Amino acid sequence: MKIVVCVKQVPDTETRVKIDASGSAISEADVANWIVSPYDEFAIEEALRIKEAKGGEVVVVTAGPDRAQAALRTGLAMGADSAVHVKDAALDATDTLGTARVLAAAVKTLAPFDLVLCGQQGVGGDNSQVPGMLAELLDLPQVTVAVKVEIGDGRATIEREIEGGRETWETPLPAVVSTQKGLNEPRYASLKGIMAAKKKTIQVVDLSGLGLDAASVAPKVKVTAMELPAARPAVRMIEGDPAAQAKELVRLLHEEAQVI
Ligand SMILES: Cc1cc2nc3c(=O)[nH]c(=O)nc-3n(C[C@H](O)[C@H](O)[C@H](O)COP(=O)(O)OP(=O)(O)OC[C@H]3O[C@@H](n4cnc5c(N)ncnc54)[C@H](O)[C@@H]3O)c2cc1C
């Protein structure tokens, strides 16, 4: 089995995000830590488990600036065999379609492959568009929000989460599958894995190396504004003995919050 995993680097989910001067993007200078998008960790883990059961190789692929290589190193440290980093200044302002075009071109260079795994959404952007677009561009079947993957002979049986239950789908391989929380428990990279990752190859390629150009990734949609949620009002402490506090709380819920 050759499994390709699309890995996106995103701001640490603990980040207190700030909007930059453009008013339409987050301020990357204020992001202290970048991580592998948590849904992509499920994808990496599943690829490694399939490889451990069936043999084969796992290739992690990212499209992003220099810093995105750290996400590939994490995948390599977890146990992936090799990595592809698509890096090009034209990617800085692309949209989901441009990202999918780039990933599709990169994945094609890895053919023949059996399975392409993505997270079900890139935390932060949360578009949940890239896996579907990728499947279309690769002309492959796709199954979304997988919570169980079983690989058979040229086929996969996949359980996916739906409202209040699960569906079981069967698909021929190769296919594009997006992964959901609950699929597995991603492993931590061991020290041995981290050391081994330093020796593994990351192939760096730009758009022209994939037969693309800036026009191929020019965004069709543009983020025009981004805003943070309104700041929460300060906490109000109610003074007095418990009986007085309870009475005042009831009054506030009734008269100010108007919820009772
Ligand atoms: C400076 C800047 C400008 C931008 N301008 C625009 C703009 O004008 N218009 C616009 O629509 N968007 C813009 N974006 C957003 C950017 O293109 C997003 O990375 C892209 O839209 C993917 O969003 P997502 O994570 O929500 O994708 P999702 O569809 O939620 O991602 C799902 C899965 O696809 C895979 N995936 C997604 N992205 C990557 C990647 N880069 N590498 C590897 N795998 C990946 C992962 O497996 C991920 O879990 C901009 C971003 C930046 C940093």
Side-chain angles (χ1 to χ4, degrees):
M1 291 282 297
K2 183 170 183 178
I3 307 164
V4 183
V5 187
C6 296
V7 174
K8 187 178 178 192
Q9 192 192 46
V10 299
D12 190 328
T13 47
E14 301 287 311
T15 305
R16 294 193 83 104
V17 167
K18 293 186 184 156
I19 310 288
D20 73 8
S22 74
S24 59
I26 66 162
S27 168
E28 294 204 3
D30 289 305
V31 177
N33 290 318
W34 294 85
I35 59 167
V36 171
S37 180
Y39 293 98
D40 298 352
E41 289 186 348
F42 300 126
I44 298 171
E45 177 63 34
E46 197 61 21
L48 295 174
R49 289 184 189 200
I50 295 168
K51 176 186 135 172
E52 282 155 9
K54 307 263 173 196
E57 64 172 303
V58 174
V59 188
V60 283
V61 178
T62 199
D66 283 332
R67 60 168 164 71
Q69 255 190 38
L72 295 177
R73 287 280 169 217
T74 301
L76 293 171
M78 286 170 75
D81 299 279
S82 60
V84 178
H85 178 194
V86 188
K87 190 178 82 162
D88 197 295
L91 288 175
D92 287 351
T94 195
D95 57 6
T96 44
L97 181 57
T99 303
R101 282 198 176 123
V102 167
L103 292 175
V107 170
K108 276 182 192 165
T109 67
L110 299 168
F113 50 85
D114 302 285
L115 182 62
V116 180
L117 292 175
C118 294
Q120 64 117 353
Q121 70 196 77
V123 164
D126 295 311
N127 285 287
S128 286
Q129 294 179 1
V130 170
M133 290 172 170
L134 185 58
E136 179 65 20
L137 292 166
L138 292 170
D139 197 20
L140 292 177
Q142 75 147 333
V143 183
T144 56
V145 292
V147 287
K148 187 171 179 188
V149 176
E150 273 177 10
I151 303 295
D153 194 11
R155 303 190 78 75
T157 305
I158 295 164
E159 288 183 19
R160 56 190 302 279
E161 202 168 73
I162 55 167
E163 186 66 34
R166 284 186 176 200
E167 279 179 342
T168 303
W169 288 34
E170 197 179 85
T171 176
L173 296 177
V176 177
V177 175
S178 69
T179 57
Q180 167 67 310
K181 187 176 179 189
L183 175 63
N184 54 45
E185 195 61 49
R187 68 194 68 186
Y188 289 104
S190 62
L191 187 59
K192 193 171 154 221
I194 293 168
M195 298 310 287
K198 292 185 179 165
K199 294 189 191 135
K200 292 181 186 171
T201 320
I202 295 182
Q203 185 201 342
V204 182
V205 62
D206 62 9
L207 289 184
S208 66
L210 294 173
L212 299 172
D213 56 22
S216 333
V217 299
K220 290 194 187 296
V221 290
K222 197 164 179 290
V223 179
T224 55
M226 197 178 269
E227 60 189 51
L228 298 174
R232 286 200 217 149
V235 172
R236 198 188 310 171
M237 302 302 289
I238 302 174
E239 305 294 338
D241 60 32
Q245 286 183 13
K247 196 170 168 203
E248 177 62 359
L249 179 60
V250 170
R251 188 190 71 74
L252 289 171
L253 291 173
H254 183 62
E255 292 176 14
E256 287 195 19
Q258 297 183 348
V259 292
I260 54 172

